């Protein structure tokens, strides 16, 4: 398991680059962590590493944002915080995105855990007095 302690915003790019380098063939990433721990901020840094030129923001109300990386790869950023049932995920066709082969970054995966594909990478984020920790196993 890889674990980083992020103590300043200036470290985000370095950690996002390390994450990008470790991704390999993995495509679906589930970001677990409490409200305000930095999930969206980290995903923004990760999109920067991919070379996304669009404005990157939280898909809290839209549920999903789509971005295009510098190498023309599709990136999907989900925020399931506001959904109340699995049916809502089916209604917008989550499976078309998740199984598209594109990179998918999912916030609040707890809301759709039973729908996550096999091989989904669990990314855990937590905050303490010593900083914000992010860990993954790829």
């Amino acid at each position: 398991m890889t674990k980083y302690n992020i103590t300043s915003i200036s470290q985000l790019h370095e950690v996002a680059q390390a994450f990008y380098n470790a991704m390999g063939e993995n495509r679906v990433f589930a970001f677990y962590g409490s409200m305000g721990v930095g999930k969206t901020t980290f995903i923004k840094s990760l999109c920067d590493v991919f070379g996304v030129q669009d404005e990157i923001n939280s898909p809290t109300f839209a549920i999903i944002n789509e971005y295009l990386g510098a190498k023309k790869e599709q990136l999907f950023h989900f925020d399931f915080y506001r959904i109340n049932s699995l049916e809502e995920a089916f209604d917008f066709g989550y499976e078309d995105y998740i199984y598209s082969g594109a990179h998918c970054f999912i916030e609040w995966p707890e809301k759709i855990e039973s729908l996550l594909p096999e091989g989904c990478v669990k990314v855990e984020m937590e905050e303490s007095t010593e900083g914000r920790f992010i860990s993954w196993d790829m």
Side-chain angles (χ1 to χ4, degrees), residues 46-118:
L46 192 53
C47 287
D48 287 341
V49 171
F50 271 93
V52 171
Q53 296 298 307
D54 296 327
E55 182 178 339
I56 303 160
N57 51 42
S58 175
T60 300
F61 294 102
I63 299 179
I64 181 170
N65 287 343
E66 181 178 349
Y67 304 112
L68 196 60
K71 296 177 184 173
K72 305 296 183 213
E73 63 271 76
Q74 283 186 305
L75 309 170
F76 297 117
H77 179 190
F78 299 86
D79 186 332
F80 288 111
Y81 182 75
R82 296 201 179 281
I83 72 163
N84 296 309
S85 69
L86 293 177
E87 288 75 29
E88 289 180 55
F90 285 111
D91 287 347
F92 78 80
Y94 89 96
E95 64 274 9
D96 293 337
Y97 299 102
I98 297 290
Y99 295 103
S100 69
H103 289 92
C104 297
F105 307 115
I106 303 168
E107 295 186 52
W108 300 102
E110 302 88 338
K111 298 278 195 141
I112 62 149
E113 202 147 44
S114 64
L115 303 178
L116 294 174
E118 188 175 319

